[in-house]
Amino acid sequence: MLSRAWLEVDLGALTRNAAALGKRAGVPLIPMIKADAYGLGAVQVANALEILAPLAYGIATVAEGEELRSAGIERPIVVFTPLLEEDMRTAHEARLTPTLGCAEEIHSWKLYGSPYHLSVDTGMARAGLPWREMQSIAASLESTPPAGAFTHFHSAALDDGSMDEQTKRFCDAIDRLPVRPKILHTDSSAAIVRHDLSPWNAVRPGIFMYGVGSGATASIQPESVLTLNARIVELRWIEPGDTVSYDATFTARSRSLIATVPVGYADGYPRAASNAGRAIVRGKLIPIAGRVTMDMIMLDVTNTGAETGDVVTLIGDGTTHDARIDMASLATLADVSPYEILTGLRGRIERVYKGQST
């Protein structure tokens, strides 16, 4: 019996989502499992994805790589955030592959004699060598050629022509390298969905694996991966005119039954869903009553037959699967990115894993 709140993570669905992207791209995967696999557990996700024999895993920090190595993950691990020079020795000792974007970084990494990927900035202006400046590091690349090279699309989900322009810039940059790297990759989840087959050697699936697609019109849709549940810990009747939660933004129009569940914005549920979000109780969609608070959310469960101890679903499929709260829809309601909700679901919520892929 799970008493407070828990995230149910379907690793089978996650693996099938990754496999669907791999089939569409036709090339090996570099699954992005940074930020603790978008909050779902990097070690558990990596172990589940091993069945797909990915080319490598993508992370953001050296500490994330060390955690994976300590858990027995032997596959290559690529660090996609630039490293400070003082972090390079630790990265090397953990057998991590950095992404480098200037002559100084390449010179520092040369001391270790280990593979790296060249980061090419084609318009994101976040990290990497600007595509116009390939000649500035020609000497460094000749003496220390990269094992791979990549860029990152800034608007892969938009049909605005930017992805094509960035691809052209990346091609121009690669053509100016003294040696063509063996591994080239550009495509995130949204880009994979838009392409038929990848023109490169690998793709980098991310949020699609975790159950969030690129909209209702996208060519393929992911399976649902996570469910956020909690239990009703208190019930109370309130009378017409009574208010609920901070700032008294909810006022009862009639006699109402209010349920309290012990999860709130400190657990990652968006406060912006106050008075607008929905939950599932006994197969019914019911409204949030008042402000979402740090540790608790109140729900109007009038006419549901709800009892203390009942399971409430805040994200995902209800226990009877006759109602569903979609992650992307919740993100739209709260005016935040679904990435923000996923990575914000805090560690104090227990993770429960099911559906290991076969």
Side-chain angles (χ1 to χ4, degrees):
M1 183 72 71
L2 296 161
S3 60
R4 188 181 80 88
W6 65 98
L7 269 178
E8 192 172 274
V9 181
D10 188 338
L11 293 173
L14 185 150
T15 304
R16 290 190 294 275
N17 288 342
L21 291 180
K23 181 178 179 180
R24 183 171 182 83
V27 295
L29 304 177
I30 303 177
M32 300 305 294
I33 58 173
K34 60 185 179 176
D36 198 30
Y38 291 38
L40 301 188
V43 172
Q44 292 82 356
V45 167
N47 283 328
L49 291 173
E50 280 291 299
I51 194 172
L52 302 181
L55 183 66
Y57 292 112
I59 59 170
T61 71
V62 172
E64 290 174 348
E66 290 179 310
E67 178 189 17
L68 292 169
R69 292 296 187 222
S70 295
I73 301 299
E74 292 297 322
R75 207 168 291 280
I77 299 172
V78 183
V79 186
F80 281 92
T81 300
L83 299 183
L84 295 169
E85 186 172 355
E86 53 262 37
D87 293 328
M88 288 188 174
R89 177 177 292 279
T90 306
H92 171 70
E93 290 173 349
R95 294 175 289 117
L96 307 181
T97 303
T99 54
L100 309 179
C102 69
E104 292 79 8
E105 292 174 351
I106 294 169
H107 177 74
S108 295
W109 187 251
K110 181 179 180 180
L111 300 174
Y112 303 107
S114 299
Y116 73 95
H117 286 205
L118 178 66
S119 176
V120 181
D121 174 19
T122 58
M124 185 76 169
R126 181 176 68 173
L129 183 73
W131 82 96
R132 305 182 186 96
E133 300 175 15
M134 286 296 112
Q135 290 302 116
S136 69
I137 62 166
S140 298
L141 295 176
E142 282 193 31
S143 63
T144 314
F150 73 99
T151 195
H152 188 69
F153 297 131
H154 58 68
S155 304
L158 303 180
D159 189 17
D160 61 357
S162 64
M163 197 167 79
D164 291 338
E165 178 61 26
Q166 285 189 262
T167 299
K168 180 179 181 299
R169 292 172 178 178
F170 183 65
C171 290
D172 290 345
I174 296 303
D175 287 344
R176 283 184 276 134
L177 296 180
V179 178
R180 186 181 178 89
K182 292 182 179 180
I183 304 170
L184 300 173
H185 46 104
T186 66
D187 288 6
S188 60
S189 292
I192 297 167
V193 170
R194 290 182 60 187
H195 284 155
D196 289 326
L197 292 172
S198 173
W200 309 114
N201 312 107
V203 290
R204 305 189 304 269
I207 200 165
F208 186 102
M209 295 192 302
Y210 304 107
V212 180
S214 298
T217 61
S219 54
I220 58 174
Q221 297 293 337
E223 295 183 40
S224 178
V225 170
L226 72 88
T227 303
L228 174 60
N229 291 322
R231 290 188 181 277
I232 295 175
V233 291
E234 279 201 16
L235 286 165
R236 75 193 65 239
W237 286 98
I238 62 174
E239 302 301 323
D242 287 350
T243 61
V244 177
S245 196
Y246 289 118
D247 301 328
T249 59
F250 177 92
T251 301
R253 297 182 178 179
S254 59
R255 193 167 188 261
S256 303
L257 183 62
I258 301 299
T260 299
V261 292
V263 63
Y265 61 76
D267 299 293
Y269 190 87
R271 187 175 184 272
S274 300
N275 287 306
R278 296 288 185 269
I280 303 169
V281 176
R282 296 198 172 195
K284 297 180 180 179
L285 280 168
I286 52 95
I288 290 175
R291 298 272 194 228
V292 172
T293 72
M294 184 180 291
D295 308 301
M296 288 175 272
I297 296 172
M298 282 64 74
L299 310 166
D300 185 348
V301 296
T302 310
N303 299 323
T304 65
E307 297 179 353
T308 301
D310 278 358
V311 174
V312 173
T313 299
L314 293 162
I315 301 173
D317 295 320
T319 54
T320 58
H321 298 285
D322 49 6
R324 183 168 187 265
I325 297 172
D326 179 74
M327 171 76 72
S329 298
L330 176 61
T332 299
L333 177 71
D335 194 26
V336 297
S337 164
Y339 290 83
E340 189 173 339
I341 294 179
L342 262 175
T343 58
L345 294 170
R346 304 299 183 190
R348 75 178 186 177
I349 302 177
E350 183 177 356
R351 270 68 172 157
V352 178
Y353 296 93
K354 70 171 191 176
Q356 288 278 1
S357 56
T358 58

